[in-house]
Amino acid sequence: MNKKFASLAAASVATLALTFAAGTASANDPTPKWCAGVKIAAFPGGPQGGVFANNVYNGFRQAEADLGPTVTYYFSDWDPNKMLQQIQQAVATKVDGIATYGFAGEAATGPIVDQAFGQGTTFTSLNTALPDSQKKYAAQGFGYVGAPNYSAGFALASEAAKRANLQSGDSVFVWGLKGQGGDRGQRTVGVIEAFEKAGAKVIYQEIDAATNADPNAGTATFVGVMGANPGVKIVVTDHGGLTSNVGVYAKAASLKPGQVYFAGFDMSPNTAQAVKEGYQNLVIDQQPFLQGYIPILNICLTKKYGFSGLDINTAGAFVDSTNVDAVAPLAAVEIR
């Protein structure tokens, strides 16, 4: 091969390479609303406009706006049985994906998950895990976005015990959902076991259905428990709605700011205000906005590109009086 021909051949190869590279770059350009055409059923969890549920809903809506799927919303009033019925309804509509809580547990929800994947519906969970179903279908898109619930409960109680200088024999009041069972109940179990490990006397009260749906309904219960146990040193409210109502409960029980150490889950405008007033002392921020946004993203990635399920811990930080000012403006618009 002469030098002139070799030079021309090299130039031709270089030109082809540039052309291929340019074509590849063009094919992979970002696409707006790339999830358009995908139909999703999304579950904020509680009543419409309720604490925590609205943060999740806002995350869902932002993902819908950003990514372009068509989303139908189901509000369940924190009722596991109602949610289970709604999940069955969603599966019957043969949507492309379902993003929901695992409140009803594996025994009740697992067969519905099987049905969903069997018909091509991607099922993924938020806030409350379905670990057996996730293990079974992770490669097909089943993910989890939320806190590892037992660990989160244990961490909150341990931190509260340390900060409140809890001593063996001291009394603590845990208001939770241990009776709900499954992964959700494990968060309350984690709280209780951390306090028992510290040697505390645990006074436990299950959150009843009325208070679960409307935290104001529990005011008389709180006043009664505190009146019967005047030596309580720490109160843990294992529910975002109840945590948002701590200021109301404390005032109804004639407690002064700082008289009892309050710890709980989830930020809200009222919780931020209670921290600033000194009633609420410690909060785990689960970042529920992410528990809405990422499951929609998860479903879109699976349906469009065949990605496996995402597994993301959203509960990475405590909020207290030292950092509440940074979080409060976001809590006010129900993003944090």
Side-chain angles (χ1 to χ4, degrees):
M1 182 183 294
N2 61 42
K3 291 184 177 179
K4 182 178 180 180
F5 184 80
S7 296
L8 288 171
S12 297
V13 171
T15 301
L16 286 171
L18 287 171
T19 301
F20 179 77
T24 301
S26 177
N28 289 335
D29 278 347
T31 303
K33 308 292 185 181
W34 56 269
C35 195
V38 173
K39 296 179 180 179
I40 298 173
F43 290 71
Q48 190 162 4
V51 171
F52 192 91
N54 218 38
N55 298 59
V56 175
Y57 178 57
N58 288 339
F60 282 147
R61 290 176 62 233
Q62 188 62 58
E64 181 183 12
D66 290 348
L67 306 177
T70 300
V71 183
T72 301
Y73 298 99
Y74 294 81
F75 293 89
S76 312
D77 299 318
W78 302 124
D79 182 337
N81 292 323
K82 181 177 181 179
M83 183 176 290
L84 196 65
Q85 292 172 356
Q86 291 172 328
I87 293 170
Q88 291 171 323
Q89 292 169 11
V91 170
T93 67
K94 295 189 176 180
V95 289
D96 296 301
I98 294 173
T100 189
Y101 297 68
F103 285 162
E106 287 283 5
T109 314
I112 304 174
V113 175
D114 290 336
Q115 181 185 350
F117 279 100
Q119 69 181 25
T121 297
T122 299
F123 196 112
T124 192
S125 62
L126 59 117
N127 182 265
T128 306
L130 293 164
D132 293 342
S133 294
Q134 185 179 355
K135 183 178 180 180
K136 187 175 182 179
Y137 293 108
Q140 295 169 247
F142 196 123
Y144 175 63
V145 181
N149 279 317
Y150 177 87
S151 297
F154 197 95
L156 179 71
S158 298
E159 188 69 16
K162 181 175 70 176
R163 295 190 184 198
N165 193 29
L166 186 72
Q167 302 296 310
S168 180
D170 286 343
S171 294
V172 299
F173 171 32
V174 177
W175 204 358
L177 289 166
K178 182 176 66 172
Q180 195 168 99
D183 184 54
R184 178 58 185 89
Q186 284 301 298
R187 194 169 78 181
T188 301
V189 173
V191 172
I192 292 170
E193 290 189 356
F195 282 138
E196 289 176 342
K197 184 178 179 181
K201 175 188 175 185
V202 177
I203 300 157
Y204 179 71
Q205 176 69 45
E206 184 78 7
I207 299 169
D208 60 38
T211 305
N212 197 17
D214 177 9
N216 286 313
T219 303
T221 297
F222 180 83
V223 172
V225 171
M226 296 302 289
N229 301 278
V232 166
K233 191 166 187 176
I234 299 174
V235 172
V236 171
T237 48
D238 185 12
H239 188 294
L242 274 64
T243 300
S244 76
N245 229 37
V246 157
V248 173
Y249 298 147
K251 291 170 186 175
S254 300
L255 298 175
K256 297 178 181 178
Q259 184 176 341
V260 174
Y261 193 94
F262 281 89
F265 290 85
D266 309 323
M267 288 302 300
S268 69
N270 287 346
T271 298
Q273 185 61 35
V275 173
K276 291 182 178 184
E277 292 175 350
Y279 288 108
Q280 185 73 44
N281 303 101
L282 185 66
V283 182
I284 278 189
D285 181 11
Q286 288 192 89
Q287 303 178 112
F289 181 92
L290 294 178
Q291 295 181 16
Y293 193 101
I294 296 176
I296 299 294
L297 174 62
N298 185 143
I299 292 169
C300 287
L301 288 170
T302 298
K303 299 308 293 186
K304 288 292 188 177
Y305 304 132
F307 281 106
S308 58
L310 305 176
D311 193 307
I312 297 175
N313 178 5
T314 63
F318 292 114
V319 176
D320 58 19
S321 60
T322 67
N323 58 6
V324 68
D325 287 338
V327 179
L330 294 169
V333 293
E334 296 179 304
I335 291 176
R336 291 289 292 276

